[in-house]
Amino acid sequence: MPPISNIICCVFGKTGVGKSTLTNYAINKEYQIKRRGGIVILDHKEDHKNLLKYQDFVRLPITDRIFNNYNLDWKGILKEYPYIIVEPIKLSRDEYEKLADDIAGGLIEVENRVYVIEEAQLAFPVHGSIRRSLSVLVTTGRKIGIDLYFTSQRPAMCNSVAVSQSNIRICFAVDDLVDLKRTSTYFSGVELEKLKRFQFVCKNTMNHKQIVGSTSDLSVVDEVIWGK
């Protein structure tokens, strides 16, 4: 199976089922195979701080005080620090959305990057339009060499445009009925409500390959995501 030219991957599931574990695996994989020229993680829960073990990665905390007084040159920052963990601490929904879009604008300028957005329902909520730069990444990321991963524990609250454009879809157990109804349309022949803790279903929408796996052996996603 040939690899996907660019990855747009959504990862859904309730708290504590393994979303961050799987996303960490994917980020490490991206880092090891060097598909892209850098990795940018928007991580407001410090789920990916273990990546700081690599010398390439730097940490940039964004507090509400800094956010209200900043005018950061993301194009320049991403050129200087290709591997960066941005930590938005105590930002409101609007501030988080703006931050995600500002960084996306930098990615469009620098290109050839991996972008990871945690709590995606805050970055592009269902009841709002995707902001300009995020829209470019979601719809035309292939042209500028962008791999985009986004996670959410509330898939029904994520903008449908972002989800519909994803070519890799991963879902752990969800128990909210609205979320379950939304996610069940993305997978065939799998009863999501019966997934056990740490189990997930992973689907490649380009060739419809679909597997059920567990965080005990994440290598099962390699062929689905990277064609290896």
Side-chain angles (χ1 to χ4, degrees), residues 42 93 96-97 100 117-125 131 134:
L42 193 54
R93 177 185 295 271
Y96 189 90
E97 184 181 359
I117 304 177
E118 295 283 355
E119 302 299 334
Q121 75 278 1
L122 303 180
F124 29 81
R131 298 176 74 103
L134 279 173

Side-chain angles (χ1 to χ4, degrees), residues 101-127:
D101 193 60
D102 284 346
I103 299 175
L107 289 167
I108 291 169
E109 294 288 334
V110 177
E111 304 185 355
N112 195 34
R113 293 292 186 272
V114 179
Y115 192 18
V116 182
I117 304 177
E118 295 283 355
E119 302 299 334
Q121 75 278 1
L122 303 180
F124 29 81
V126 67
H127 295 303

Side-chain angles (χ1 to χ4, degrees), residues 1 9 14 24 53-54 92 102 136:
M1 181 177 69
C9 176
K14 61 185 180 180
N24 261 309
K53 65 186 178 185
Y54 299 120
S92 68
D102 284 346
V136 172

Side-chain angles (χ1 to χ4, degrees), residues 206-220:
M206 306 298 291
N207 61 13
H208 304 290
K209 184 176 180 61
Q210 179 173 290
I211 57 96
V212 175
S214 166
T215 54
S216 62
D217 181 15
L218 290 170
S219 64
V220 297

Side-chain angles (χ1 to χ4, degrees), residues 46-64:
E46 299 184 308
D47 287 334
H48 304 293
K49 61 183 179 181
N50 66 303
L51 294 168
L52 293 171
K53 65 186 178 185
Y54 299 120
Q55 283 188 327
D56 291 339
F57 273 95
V58 298
R59 174 178 175 268
L60 179 62
I62 302 290
T63 65
D64 49 359

